Amino acid sequence: MKLPNTPFFSVFKPGYLAFVAFGLFLDLLTKYIIIIKMSADESIPVLGDFFRLSLTFNTGFVFGLFQDNALPSLFATGFAIVFLIFYRWQNSDLGNVWGWNFVMAGAFGNFIDKFFVKIPGSGFRFGFTPEKPGIEFIGVVDFLDFDWPNFLLFTRWPAFNVADSCVSIGIVILLFTMDWKEMDKK
C-alpha cells in the first residue's frame, strides 16, 4: 500500500485531532455515567415517553441490526476506521474537515467501547466475554431513546449514543459539502 504524498499532520492537524479526542472523551464519559447510574434495560423518562434514557447494549451493527455479532462488529469498525483515515488522507480536499472530524470521533468512541465488558451499577473491565451473563454485558452502550412514529420502520428509534450522534452529524456535513462532480473525475 502506497502512502499519500501529503504529510499526515497537514491533513490531521493537531487542533482537529484534539477535537476528535474531545468527542471520544465526551462519548466515553457519558457511557460511563450511564453504566454507573443505571441498570440494564432500565428506562428513565426525560420528556415523557418521547425521550428517555434507556441503557441497552448493541452487540451488532448499525441500528442494532444483526445482534450477537460483537467480534465481527469490532473488526468491521476497526477496518472502517483504517479505511477512513487513509481515504481522508488521500482525499484531503474532499468535504468539510469538521464533517470528517465528527465521523472520526464517533467511530473511535464506538470502537473503543467494544473492548470492555460493562457492569451496570459498577463500571467496566477490559474484555470481550461477560463472566456473569445477565449481570455483565458486552457491546456498545446506547442510551438516548426517542419515540418514532409507529408507521415507520421502527416503533421507537433504536437507542443511540454520543458517538452515533457524531457520526450522523459528520455524515450530514460531508453530504452537504462534498463536491460530487469532482469525485467523479478522480
Side-chain angles (χ1 to χ4, degrees), residues 35-163:
I35 290 169
I36 293 295
K37 299 290 184 184
M38 295 181 72
S39 57
D41 299 318
E42 178 182 4
S43 283
I44 301 170
V46 176
L47 295 174
D49 202 39
F50 171 71
F51 170 59
R52 55 191 183 195
L53 298 175
S54 300
L55 178 55
T56 63
F57 303 95
N58 182 356
T59 57
F61 293 86
V62 177
F63 298 118
L65 298 173
F66 309 113
Q67 287 296 309
D68 300 321
N69 284 293
L71 202 54
S73 175
L74 174 72
F75 287 119
T77 304
F79 176 79
I81 288 172
V82 171
F83 174 81
L84 286 171
I85 289 171
F86 279 97
Y87 187 82
R88 168 79 175 119
W89 192 3
Q90 185 69 40
N91 301 283
S92 59
D93 58 341
L94 189 61
N96 182 287
V97 66
W98 294 104
W100 289 106
N101 293 341
F102 271 103
V103 169
M104 293 306 290
F108 276 109
N110 281 340
F111 182 67
I112 290 173
D113 190 14
K114 294 176 185 192
F115 284 89
F116 296 93
V117 173
K118 289 75 174 185
I119 309 156
S122 179
F124 61 90
R125 66 175 170 75
F126 181 79
F128 300 99
T129 308
E131 293 172 1
K132 301 173 187 170
I135 296 173
E136 297 181 346
F137 301 87
I138 59 171
V140 172
V141 173
D142 287 328
F143 58 92
L144 300 169
D145 181 9
F146 284 89
D147 196 9
W148 187 252
N150 289 342
F151 62 87
L152 296 173
L153 188 58
F154 311 102
T155 55
R156 290 190 72 81
W157 190 256
F160 58 98
N161 56 46
V162 172

Side-chain angles (χ1 to χ4, degrees), residues 14-43:
Y16 301 158
L17 295 175
F19 178 84
V20 170
F22 176 75
L24 169 65
F25 170 77
L26 186 62
D27 175 61
L28 295 177
L29 177 65
T30 56
K31 289 172 180 175
Y32 177 75
I33 290 169
I34 292 295
I35 290 169
I36 293 295
K37 299 290 184 184
M38 295 181 72
S39 57
D41 299 318
E42 178 182 4
S43 283

Side-chain angles (χ1 to χ4, degrees), residues 3-13 88-90 92:
L3 293 177
N5 293 330
T6 309
F8 183 82
F9 287 111
S10 70
V11 175
F12 297 96
K13 296 179 181 180
R88 168 79 175 119
W89 192 3
Q90 185 69 40
S92 59

